[in-house]
Amino acid sequence: MDPSRSVADLSARGCVSRLRHGNDRTPVPSGFRSGFGFSLLWRGRGGVVGIDRSSRDRIRLTLDQLVLDDVAPERVPRRVRVSLFVDDPLPVPGERVMLTAHLDKPQVPAEPGGFDFRRVAWFEHLGAIGYSRTPVMTIAPPDAGGALALHRLRMRLSVAMKEAIGGQAGAVSSAMMTGDRSGIAEHTNEVMRASNLFHIISISGLHMSMLTGFVYAAIRYLGAMVLGLAGLASSRLHKYAAAAAFLSAASYLWLSGGDVATTRSFIMVAVMLIAIMSDRRAISLRTVAVAAVVILVITPEALVSPGFQMSFAATVALILAAEPWQKIAPRLPWWLKPVTLLLVSSLVASISTSPIAAAHFGRVSHYGVFANLLVVPVIGLVVMPCGAIAAVLAPFGLSDLPLWCMGLGAKWMLVVAEYVANTGGATTLIKAPPHSVLPLMGVGAILVVLSPVYGARQIIARRMVGGMAIIVALIMWDVSKRPDVLISSDGQAVGVMTPEGRAVSRPKGGTFAVSEWLAADGSSNNQVASAAIPYWVDNGGYKKAVLPQELGGVEIYHVIKASFDGKEDSFCQNGSFVIMNRPLELDRVIKGECTVLDSDYLKITGAISLDWRNGSILLDGSNGSGDRSWSGGAEFSAKY
């Protein structure tokens, strides 16, 4: 498709017909080995390689080594992920299972420039996603050995921990120790996000540093005590402690499943421990740079992930704050130092990560520092040490007491999260920023805090430029304009921006896309509330909306599973837009000036945004995100 062609040309009947005949399926990215261009009822077999929980609180299975009935081998995806709507006992990793599921390709972005799940799926080798409403049948037991045997052991440890502690405290404790988050309910996830404690559920540098710090300090102090009682001394004790901490970090990496975030945390901690063993400075920006390079070589896709950005932003900020703290700490009373250090570290980490979290997740947690002050010490002093002790004592059957203590810490965290989340004004929803805001803000922050020190003038000049860059980024964020009209990729929903918020054409249909739109708008409405905004006029088989005069007064018709009923000429007047969730009949001739966007057309463009600017209508499609391996095509856009 030529992006320079006008929408009016593309909406002609002949072009729509060619789109239908020539592209009856959306192009499939070559990296997926998948031919699914439509919802397919699939019957087949596969091996279970992963179990987790979706954002809609559904258990999901990741399957590989697939055999699909009535599907050619060249069209079989490498992996699929299926959400389960049944509560039957779950299979274990490594089992061969059989099930019936509805599968489709990974979804295109809900709007142009939105989050592209296809990129994530491409790196995870997911060729299709879907759901199943039928029981999962085991047809072959798992192999006795192999990597999945260790995974099954990890899952058994997770189940044992959940049962020993019980409830959501057990699920959270298991997630922090084994990385298995399948037992955490969506309500728990939501209150943890609202209280800015969600990072504690995900195994991160915080957990790695707490665990390795505990092991390092314990071995060093215990070793010094033993050597002192024996009248001996060792200048290499800190290296032995670092080696033991390194082994504990590696064990924790295996126990947690070794996903991308945990691997990133392990690399960061491992570089610091190796620096100690090599008589190098452990806490320095050079160490952080080495860890970043290693991580990006192994997983380059991590660069655009919020976990990578927030981890390194917090680490760099804490390292930079260490030197001023060392100057202030000697002047404080001994009893005030721990409290002040906790307050300062939480404040520094929150300031450095809050803009990134706000840009990615669309919310600001106002009481996050307070919640972290109450919870992080308990995690560091109770939960993680008790988890490590339980792991050591478990082979001897003595893990009950440390697990009980660990559960108390997890329950405290949940109580704090629930209280903070339910406090009035705990969070503020904000709109999604333009893509240029976060990089510009990052460059500005680098110039402010990392400018080389050559003299007073250079410091002032660089930091002034960095500060201006941050201010410009914030202004761009504030004045940025959300799309005037958004159309889902399946034609099931249309949303028009109004002074009362985005008015959606239907209270149901296109649910995922609508939820993404409202989140990016910074709106607290759900789809039902957005559909209740008095903007669309219901005419039975179709909905009609008239844009304000500053947007040209254009009429928009959303036709839903109904024929035109002879209203073609009345629809196509004055450059109106007609959106259909079904294909336009090939023999249908529409007279007049209008743009018809039927389901076949939307398969080519993906979700569409319409903007009226400077007397022109800008149309963007989300089905391509440039010529990339996961997008399968070039960007679609037009102006007329």
Side-chain angles (χ1 to χ4, degrees), residues 372-387:
N372 279 273
L373 285 174
L374 294 176
V375 170
V376 171
V378 176
I379 299 298
L381 298 176
V382 178
V383 175
M384 297 307 296
C386 288

Side-chain angles (χ1 to χ4, degrees), residues 461-499:
R462 286 178 173 84
R463 291 182 177 174
M464 286 184 63
V465 172
M468 291 176 60
I470 294 175
I471 293 173
V472 170
L474 292 174
I475 293 174
M476 290 172 56
W477 193 341
D478 182 61
V479 303
S480 62
K481 179 176 176 291
R482 292 285 297 150
D484 295 318
V485 178
L486 287 170
I487 304 168
S488 64
S489 60
D490 55 5
Q492 294 286 352
V494 182
V496 180
M497 183 60 76
T498 72

